[in-house]
Amino acid sequence: MFQLESTRLRLIPLNTTQLQLHAADYDALQRSLGLVPRPMQMEEYFQNEFDDALANYWLPETAANASRYEWFTNWLIVYKSENCVAGGIGVAGLPNDQGETEIGYGIDQSFRGQGVATEALECLAEWVFKNRALKALIAHTPVALVNSQRVLMKAGFEQISENEGLILWRKLNAN
């Protein structure tokens, strides 16, 4: 099974079958990956965004792009010392005509403030930037999410603009 590793984390990209299991029985998915099952603790807003992405983006896009599904899916962020899911992260597909793709993440409430998001972001960014067509990663954060803004700054993103309550961030490919 393909995965990425950092000091404290494993990142596991979910294929279409695993995403279907995620939608049907999240505990069963975790067990199938040898993880300690636990519910994800997220605010309703983030859970709704996750559910929408699962149904309307990840499932259809991983099915349509099976040979490169890693670019179109949710990656589980596994906290190695507890062997459990600490959150999710992913990019919005292969680089577009401008050489960009968007990255997003969500961290379980009990793992926030421990550097998990920054470590996962740096780990996935290192992998996606191996694609020479990728010139920049972009991210959007609501103005009110100061902690998420700090994560992006620590991971080397710079603030580009602010529009309608969202801040646009960018990290350039140094390769």
Side-chain angles (χ1 to χ4, degrees), residues 6-74:
S6 64
T7 304
R8 299 177 299 154
L9 308 173
R10 279 187 296 132
L11 304 183
I12 304 171
L14 301 179
N15 62 33
T16 304
T17 302
Q18 291 165 326
L19 289 168
Q20 290 167 335
L21 185 55
H22 192 303
D25 187 345
Y26 182 53
D27 282 357
L29 170 68
Q30 293 174 87
R31 285 191 302 275
S32 76
L33 295 170
L35 304 173
V36 175
R38 61 183 301 276
M40 186 66 87
Q41 299 173 12
M42 299 191 102
E43 294 84 350
E44 185 177 352
Y45 168 81
F46 293 118
Q47 188 61 53
N48 291 340
E49 283 210 350
F50 177 88
D51 293 343
D52 180 61
L54 177 61
N56 299 310
Y57 185 77
W58 298 327
L59 279 167
E61 290 296 328
T62 57
N65 297 283
S67 67
R68 300 189 90 178
Y69 73 96
E70 301 92 347
W71 287 86
F72 301 90
T73 193
N74 178 48

Side-chain angles (χ1 to χ4, degrees), residues 3-12 26 30 33-38 40 75-89 106-120:
Q3 60 187 2
L4 302 175
E5 277 202 49
S6 64
T7 304
R8 299 177 299 154
L9 308 173
R10 279 187 296 132
L11 304 183
I12 304 171
Y26 182 53
Q30 293 174 87
L33 295 170
L35 304 173
V36 175
R38 61 183 301 276
M40 186 66 87
W75 295 60
L76 295 181
I77 301 170
V78 176
Y79 200 73
K80 290 194 278 191
S81 68
E82 297 182 28
N83 196 37
C84 67
V85 177
I89 192 167
I107 304 298
D108 183 290
Q109 290 174 348
S110 61
F111 287 93
R112 292 181 189 164
Q114 301 174 39
V116 170
T118 304
E119 188 173 330

Side-chain angles (χ1 to χ4, degrees), residues 57-58 61-62 64-73 75 90-103 124 127-138 173:
Y57 185 77
W58 298 327
E61 290 296 328
T62 57
N65 297 283
S67 67
R68 300 189 90 178
Y69 73 96
E70 301 92 347
W71 287 86
F72 301 90
T73 193
W75 295 60
V91 294
L94 291 164
N96 62 21
D97 292 342
Q98 292 77 41
E100 299 175 333
T101 193
E102 187 165 357
I103 195 163
L124 188 56
W127 180 78
V128 297
F129 277 138
K130 289 179 181 175
N131 181 325
R132 299 267 181 216
L134 183 62
K135 305 292 183 226
L137 276 173
I138 60 169
N173 190 346

